[in-house]
Amino acid sequence: MSNKRNLFAIVFGGAALIGVALHFFGAPKQASEPKIPTAAEAVPAVDVSPTPAFNVAAPTPQPTPSPEGPIPLLGPQLRKIGDCLQIHNSLDDKADLNFHSLQDSLRGELGDLLATDIDWQNVHFTLPNGEKRRLRIEIEGTGEEGSARVLKLYGVDKEDLPIPIPLTEAQSKNPSTEYIASIENQGQVTLREAASHGVFSKGADLFYTERNGFLSDLEISYEGKGVKCQDLQSSHGNCNCF
């Protein structure tokens, strides 16, 4: 009987000690698993190579840069344009040097300008490390009145001469707007230039070049008469008959 009482006391005392330990220290904790970031937390990689993957997603193209200095007006040239073409176009000495001002002046005599086509485009931009890039898009015939946009990319040497940067045919032929923007957005755009041509509803042919949103050169021919205006963004710009 004495042995049974002793065994009971030992068991009871051990259980009590375990209970006290659990009360003060609690059950052992399991190691926490490392946190896996969600897709929304992931940081997208930035491709700064001269030829990023074809048709990669790109931010919105940069806006057209502002001219470095004051731009002359188109107004003083409008009379010379009318005299060369022998038409009575509207005159406005304060007309800005832009495509819309030219259209407004000629609409009454030559009619509306029909759909225009771009002949080529140039984009200059500077990389964060100071290197310069030149991007050019040309329209090339493919036979049977077909055409294709061809993208060319250049670096610039110390003498400011272009150095071709190779592109694959998939990258250069008919590139998407997103792909072109992905190249431009590697740096800061400093110049946008485009040459276009069109036909007025009364048959006059127009060729013009815009640089950073303003006219720089134009040529109009109509019924055997013509006018050519050059360097319009400089103080030496002038229009002459031909």
Side-chain angles (χ1 to χ4, degrees):
M1 192 70 179
S2 174
N3 290 335
K4 289 183 179 181
R5 282 197 298 268
N6 291 337
L7 179 60
F8 178 79
I10 291 172
V11 173
F12 181 81
L17 290 174
I18 293 172
V20 171
L22 291 174
H23 175 74
F24 284 99
F25 300 104
K29 298 181 179 179
Q30 297 181 351
S32 60
E33 297 181 357
K35 181 183 178 183
I36 300 176
T38 63
E41 296 172 329
V43 179
V46 178
D47 188 348
V48 294
S49 65
T51 55
F54 179 57
N55 281 355
V56 296
T60 303
Q62 297 179 49
T64 298
S66 299
E68 295 181 355
I71 295 293
L73 297 174
L74 177 64
Q77 307 292 348
L78 292 178
R79 185 179 298 278
K80 187 66 175 288
I81 291 173
D83 290 344
C84 288
L85 299 178
Q86 296 181 15
I87 60 174
H88 297 288
N89 57 312
S90 63
L91 304 177
D92 178 3
D93 288 340
K94 296 182 179 179
D96 290 329
L97 187 65
N98 58 50
F99 183 62
H100 296 295
S101 295
L102 179 66
Q103 281 186 292
D104 290 343
S105 173
L106 300 175
R107 183 175 286 112
E109 285 285 311
L110 302 182
D112 290 324
L113 185 67
L114 305 180
T116 59
D117 294 314
I118 294 177
D119 296 321
W120 52 260
Q121 293 175 284
N122 288 329
V123 180
H124 294 187
F125 58 99
T126 304
L127 301 179
N129 64 4
E131 294 183 17
K132 295 180 180 180
R133 293 287 186 269
R134 303 285 185 263
L135 184 154
R136 183 175 176 86
I137 300 172
E138 298 176 351
I139 308 301
E140 296 185 356
T142 58
E144 297 182 0
E145 299 183 357
S147 63
R149 292 197 308 167
V150 178
L151 170 66
K152 299 179 180 180
L153 185 63
Y154 302 89
V156 178
D157 64 15
K158 294 181 180 180
E159 297 179 353
D160 213 33
L161 297 175
I163 304 172
I165 296 176
L167 296 175
T168 66
E169 183 178 357
Q171 291 170 324
S172 63
K173 188 173 182 180
N174 288 325
S176 68
T177 301
E178 291 77 15
Y179 178 62
I180 296 171
S182 73
I183 297 180
E184 294 180 7
N185 284 311
Q186 293 173 19
Q188 179 64 45
V189 172
T190 57
L191 179 141
R192 288 191 187 278
E193 189 177 35
S196 306
H197 69 272
V199 179
F200 287 93
S201 60
K202 293 187 179 181
D205 293 316
L206 169 67
F207 297 86
Y208 65 98
T209 303
E210 293 176 290
R211 183 180 298 122
N212 288 339
F214 294 89
L215 290 170
S216 57
D217 301 278
L218 66 90
E219 181 177 321
I220 306 172
S221 58
Y222 178 59
E223 295 184 347
K225 302 169 288 294
V227 60
K228 177 180 286 188
C229 303
Q230 297 175 295
D231 299 324
L232 291 175
Q233 294 191 17
S234 76
S235 58
H236 306 291
N238 193 23
C239 295
N240 296 289
C241 304
F242 68 87

